Amino acid sequence: MRSRPYKGLVAVAAAAALTATACTAQDEAQQKPKEKTALFKSGSDISYQKYGKNYPTTKVKDVPGSCSYESISRKDYSGQTLKIISHAVPVIGEPTQLHAKQFEEITGGKVEVVNVPFGELHQKILTPLQAGQPAYDVMFYPSLWIGDMAPYLAPVPEKYLNTTGMQDVTAAYMDVATWDGKVMQYPVDGDRHYLKIRADVLQDPKWQAQYKKATGKDLKVPTTWTEYQDIAEAFSGKDFDGDGKKNYGSAEVTKRDDLTFSAFISRAAPYVKNPDVKGGVFFDEETMKPLINTPGFVRALQDMVKAKSTWAPGGSNFGLGDEIFSFGGGQTLMSYSWDDAFIQAQQPDSKIRNTVQAAPLPGSTEVYNRTTKAWDKKANQAAYFTWGWTSAVAKASSHQEMAFDYLCFFSNEANTALDLTIGRFGVNPYRISHFAPEFWEKQGWDKDVAKAYVDTLSGMEENPNRVFDLRVPGVNQYMSALANGVAAALAGQESPQRALDGVAREWAKITDQIGKDKVQSAYRNVVALEDES
């Protein structure tokens, strides 16, 4: 997703693959674990405290089952080595390392973890897979890459699909893990974009009165992008929390190479996802003509350009980390993206803890109908299930049982309960049980904050008007082209329409390069997810 030339990345990754140590041999016999005495009793207390001061003192109970500490510690993997590739520390990279260390301690096996920056992850995984020499047994990557990865993955075996943790994964995230009817990715995270606000400001009678006087409107949680803009403009540049520093209206991910495409799709979703029109939002499903420059997407980019006036200094080059700390640190009034900024705001040492609220993404008062080529005048909101971290096992791995056991352990109930509370880990709710407000209240969250959070996330599961990421081969090229177009419009180099016309031309070229039939076949999986909700 970076602007670095694709061919260059291929060459770099190919070199990395050739020099990777001890590549797993495809024809090596699968190795089963020996049995040993369990190191944990059923229901033992589990805590990360011994691994450092950066970990919470929280204790949870080991939940009985085949992925539990008790069950996995009965397995002896001594003499075997598992190779894992994951994102850089901390987001998903840190829990990968932590659970690798724990897995080594309780099974006796060796686990080697390689952490790489986001911009290098795709090719360092895919190139050796395509070469038939998988450098890694287990891979952590964004779930939208499934269109590229699926041919090289081992389906999740039935015994793991029947575990208690897997049975608890929400329907949406089992869909995300599934490709052509088989579960190919092991769910470890659930990501969505939603709205985050400073409730202490929006609910303050003083600010409500000032906003009413200035605009004639009630100050409330915005339900449209127009309301979002109005509120962001009104509060940008004011010291609304009284700390002597200016605050700002909106923090958004705007840095071209740092997930800007996801932020833009959030803004576009209510303008382009018409509940009365089936067949996908990114392409015409039959002709594969790009729809990225149609009026709904153009309206969203016009909104995003207008929002520049509400950003903090430097906000036009905010990466995800900047957005997390701008909202999570109390600098801005509102934000929208993944959970991380919200969880950051709710860390025990946060100065805005329990003053924030979650809500669905803003919507619109009209939605484009690409069949009639007119705007339908009606209120519309769309849930955006943007990519989350996922994991998978290489089909050619000779350590598949050890690999699936590691993922089973990584995501067992005890580990996940602890991981969810550590904002920097990037592990967010993906099981039905994660939507219990009581769990979050036990972490010190106020009752109203916990309820708004779980209602927002679980409500998206029930929303039939949903947008999923473009999960097709070459998705990085498509999203890189989109990010370039959005960046050009935000920089004032192109009008939104001209910028997206350019993206559409790039998308058409990419489709021709990869093959229309190949992209179309994969895209129908995305359309099915949206239309069969």
Side-chain angles (χ1 to χ4, degrees):
M1 294 169 198
R2 295 195 172 189
S3 59
R4 190 173 183 179
Y6 180 74
K7 289 182 179 177
L9 282 175
V10 171
V12 170
L18 291 173
T19 56
T21 57
C23 291
T24 307
Q26 188 169 355
D27 58 354
E28 188 178 335
Q30 294 289 320
Q31 298 180 50
K32 300 287 185 183
K34 302 169 190 169
E35 291 189 9
K36 62 182 178 65
T37 303
L39 300 177
F40 293 83
K41 293 181 180 178
S42 180
S44 296
D45 285 338
I46 303 298
S47 167
Y48 296 164
Q49 198 169 6
K50 77 172 188 175
Y51 298 100
K53 295 179 180 178
N54 285 337
Y55 295 109
T57 58
T58 310
K59 290 182 181 178
V60 297
K61 295 290 184 184
D62 189 29
V63 176
S66 54
C67 299
S68 67
Y69 278 75
E70 186 266 342
S71 293
I72 295 297
S73 71
R74 290 182 182 278
K75 301 190 177 189
D76 181 357
Y77 278 111
S78 57
Q80 295 195 50
T81 300
L82 196 66
K83 296 180 180 299
I84 299 176
I85 185 168
S86 187
H87 185 239
V89 171
V91 180
I92 214 65
E94 187 174 351
T96 302
Q97 287 187 350
L98 172 64
H99 299 317
K101 182 175 180 59
Q102 293 169 318
F103 192 81
E104 284 185 335
E105 290 174 352
I106 68 175
T107 69
K110 186 176 180 182
V111 184
E112 297 178 354
V113 178
V114 173
N115 298 100
V116 300
F118 189 84
E120 300 175 18
L121 190 59
H122 183 267
Q123 293 306 322
K124 285 198 170 176
I125 292 176
L126 186 60
T127 302
L129 287 174
Q130 290 173 326
Q133 294 182 320
Y136 307 101
D137 303 288
V138 175
M139 300 152 293
F140 288 84
Y141 59 87
S143 60
L144 81 169
W145 293 351
I146 192 170
D148 288 324
M149 303 296 177
Y152 312 103
L153 304 181
V156 179
E158 194 71 22
K159 68 176 182 178
Y160 296 95
L161 295 177
N162 291 329
T163 61
T164 54
M166 191 71 85
Q167 293 286 308
D168 193 31
V169 174
T170 71
Y173 281 95
M174 284 309 297
D175 286 343
V176 166
T178 302
W179 193 252
D180 284 339
K182 293 182 181 178
V183 180
M184 304 301 291
Q185 298 182 145
Y186 207 108
V188 294
D189 175 36
D191 279 352
R192 320 146 182 87
H193 273 195
Y194 61 89
L195 176 63
K196 291 153 273 190
I197 57 169
R198 285 283 298 269
D200 57 331
V201 179
L202 267 63
Q203 294 172 0
D204 186 328
K206 178 187 73 176
W207 290 115
Q208 289 177 337
Q210 288 192 21
Y211 187 75
K212 182 79 172 183
K213 183 178 179 181
T215 67
K217 300 171 184 174
D218 293 328
L219 181 60
K220 60 182 180 62
V221 177
T223 57
T224 68
W225 284 111
T226 300
E227 292 176 353
Y228 183 96
Q229 177 70 18
D230 290 345
I231 295 170
E233 280 182 0
F235 284 90
S236 202
K238 288 186 170 65
D239 177 17
F240 54 67
D241 56 12
D243 65 357
K245 300 177 183 176
K246 284 184 180 179
N247 296 99
Y248 298 91
S250 175
E252 312 186 29
V253 178
T254 58
K255 189 176 181 181
R256 185 185 59 186
D257 300 337
D258 200 346
L259 306 172
T260 306
F261 64 86
S262 290
F264 174 63
I265 293 170
S266 275
R267 280 188 167 273
Y271 294 129
V272 300
K273 184 64 178 69
N274 191 321
D276 299 327
V277 178
K278 304 297 184 186
V281 300
F282 295 110
F283 290 97
D284 181 303
E285 188 181 7
E286 298 305 318
T287 67
M288 291 307 290
K289 179 182 178 182
L291 301 175
I292 196 68
N293 58 340
T294 50
F297 284 106
V298 174
R299 177 80 61 87
L301 190 49
Q302 290 169 339
D303 284 357
M304 200 167 182
V305 171
K306 193 186 302 180
K308 290 169 63 177
S309 64
T310 72
W311 297 342
S316 60
N317 198 35
F318 267 14
L320 177 59
D322 301 310
E323 183 261 350
I324 291 170
F325 290 106
S326 182
F327 178 81
Q331 183 186 37
T332 51
L333 180 68
M334 298 183 291
S335 177
Y336 65 93
S337 74
W338 294 269
D339 282 72
D340 311 85
F342 194 83
I343 300 298
Q344 183 66 33
Q346 285 294 98
Q347 294 295 293
D349 59 350
S350 168
K351 68 178 184 180
I352 61 170
R353 193 179 204 208
N354 287 320
T355 69
V356 294
Q357 182 180 333
L361 278 176
S364 61
T365 57
E366 57 182 5
V367 54
Y368 189 69
N369 186 322
R370 64 181 174 80
T371 302
T372 63
K373 300 190 185 309
W375 289 90
D376 292 342
K377 305 289 184 185
K378 62 181 178 182
N380 190 50
Q381 281 188 299
Y384 176 30
F385 285 78
T386 187
W387 66 271
W389 294 105
T390 193
S391 58
V393 173
K395 184 162 56 181
S397 166
S398 62
H399 299 284
Q400 288 190 9
E401 183 157 348
M402 186 179 185
F404 279 114
D405 274 346
Y406 167 79
L407 292 176
C408 170
F409 172 76
F410 178 106
S411 60
N412 72 28
E413 287 88 338
N415 283 340
T416 304
L418 293 170
D419 293 349
L420 285 172
T421 66
I422 303 173
R424 66 183 186 275
F425 271 21
V427 175
N428 303 128
Y430 62 98
R431 289 178 175 145
I432 296 167
S433 57
H434 299 163
F435 299 142
E438 297 79 14
F439 170 78
W440 300 99
E441 290 174 40
K442 286 180 183 175
Q443 314 308 317
W445 292 25
D446 281 355
K447 190 172 183 179
D448 289 345
V449 176
K451 184 175 187 308
Y453 178 69
V454 301
D455 284 354
T456 297
L457 270 56
S458 61
M460 291 176 66
E461 292 280 338
E462 298 162 5
N463 187 342
N465 198 34
R466 308 194 291 189
V467 174
F468 286 86
D469 281 313
L470 183 63
R471 299 162 14 119
V472 299
V475 65
N476 266 11
Q477 297 171 71
Y478 289 106
M479 292 300 105
S480 180
L482 177 57
N484 287 339
V486 170
L490 292 179
Q493 297 166 347
E494 299 270 14
S495 70
Q497 182 70 67
R498 286 178 60 86
L500 293 179
D501 285 346
V503 176
R505 287 193 294 273
E506 285 297 312
W507 280 24
K509 290 179 186 174
I510 296 166
T511 301
D512 287 343
Q513 290 167 359
I514 295 174
K516 177 186 169 185
D517 292 347
K518 189 176 179 181
V519 179
Q520 186 177 44
S521 176
Y523 185 56
R524 284 181 167 147
N525 282 282
V526 182
V527 174
L529 279 180
E530 294 173 348
D531 288 355
E532 296 171 10
S533 297

